[in-house]
Amino acid sequence: MANSDQRTDAASEKDREKWMARFQVRLAMQPGVDRAVVLQAVKDVTAHCAETGEHPRTAFGDPDAYAVQAAARLVPADRAARARQRNAVVDTLDSVLKKARDVAGL
């Protein structure tokens, strides 16, 4: 029976790691998120799960949705707005450059 429990524990740990990895990637993609924000969010999730014994999905839900919530909570609004504005400018430039390459036949 111990073998079955070990496999269940290993599968649960693997699922926990997958949740955390996805959460970190999605969080890093949010406007204004830097390394400090990711580290703080991971610390918060890890501490909560260690204290309660809950799986992160049980405690926080979908990792993508929680990444958006964590970013909104941890990133100052002005920094997030500046990052979104920068991203919009870069997207516009990329679009203009693509059109120029298409016209030039490159």
Side-chain angles (χ1 to χ4, degrees):
M1 190 77 172
N3 248 353
S4 177
D5 289 344
Q6 287 174 343
R7 272 184 261 140
T8 301
D9 288 347
S12 180
E13 183 57 31
K14 184 78 168 171
D15 188 50
R16 204 175 280 114
E17 289 172 6
K18 285 173 66 175
W19 189 97
M20 288 297 290
R22 180 154 183 117
F23 170 65
Q24 289 175 61
V25 167
R26 294 299 186 188
L27 180 59
M29 295 169 64
Q30 299 304 307
V33 169
D34 59 12
R35 184 173 186 271
V37 169
V38 173
L39 291 174
Q40 182 62 53
V42 168
K43 180 180 169 186
D44 293 347
V45 170
T46 302
H48 176 87
C49 292
E51 288 171 15
T52 64
E54 288 181 299
H55 185 285
R57 184 175 304 283
T58 303
F60 302 102
D62 177 70
D64 295 350
Y66 189 65
V68 172
Q69 292 172 10
R73 182 172 48 86
L74 295 170
V75 176
D78 60 328
R79 187 167 82 195
R82 283 193 307 272
R84 277 191 291 276
Q85 188 175 23
R86 248 190 333 271
N87 291 346
V89 168
V90 169
D91 289 347
T92 299
L93 286 173
D94 284 348
S95 177
V96 168
L97 290 172
K98 183 186 179 314
K99 286 178 185 170
R101 281 192 301 267
D102 289 348
V103 168
L106 299 176

